Amino acid sequence: MKLGLHISDFTWPGGPARLRTDLADVARTAEEAGFDRVSVMDHVWQIGHIGPPEHEMLEAYTTLGYLAGQTSRVKLLTLVTGIVYREPGLLAKIISTLDVLSGGRAMLGVGAAWFEEEARGLGLSFPPMAERFERLEEALQICLRMWSEDESAHKGQHYRLERTLNVPQPLSAPHPPILIGGSGEKKTLRLVAKYAQACNLFPGPDLAHKLDVLREHCEREGTDYDAIEKTVLFNFDVGDKGENAGAMVDSLGALAEQGFQVAHGSVTGVSDLSRLEVIGSEVIPAVAAL
């Protein structure tokens, strides 16, 4: 099993003046500890269960571009991009640029968007849910076309692109991996089966059922279920002195037995680098063979 670090809170003790330095330290320490990937949220305001909207929040792709220059191995992605916040042709170009400048380490983490308050607040697009899912599927089609040799026009229900030119192409072959976040059984998991190389599910007692639903969608779409990377959200809280490391290993083992290959989530108190170091010394080696 591999671990992914999700950086979702930028309100740290050093404040904005130290955020650049502290963020680089966190990313480099996570890489040295053995984390497989680093992600950030694609939000412009902080979300409610983490803090008030007035807390610090960095724009996602500017942040990932910065982290690309601070690291050399970890994969980089959003968890996940709200598809209606950016036109899909521009999104494909952003991911392509991140992939080239990171040396082939970009992933496209994407979803249908949900935070209406921030969208309305900053004048971002936020159509009804059914339309957001329509736009998500069409955007995935556009990204895949732009990550190919096909430069033909796209004339869809919601988007019109006269020429899908994208130079330079991503370094990742055949294209940057697509991860779709969410557990919706009718729409989200169907899109995973049809377009994605990875899913990201919410923890809970129904995880096994969600994987069964994904398998059924894969059978209908003619997709290899085993080729889809199964990732799950996980809270890494090792405690002040690493006292929770053993229990974390047990929990990760249970997830691996269900078929999950990546546990991806926030580290409590991540600006305290010792917590990342404990995960690197006591957790990552213990779960590497799972």
Side-chain angles (χ1 to χ4, degrees), residues 1-4 36-37 229-232 260-264:
M1 173 172 273
K2 300 175 182 178
L3 304 188
D36 178 72
R37 59 197 64 180
E229 184 178 68
K230 287 80 176 176
T231 82
V232 61
F260 289 95
Q261 298 139 297
V262 181
H264 196 121

Side-chain angles (χ1 to χ4, degrees), residues 20-34:
R20 171 180 177 272
T21 301
D22 291 344
L23 181 59
D25 288 343
V26 165
R28 287 193 293 258
T29 302
E31 183 169 78
E32 292 167 3

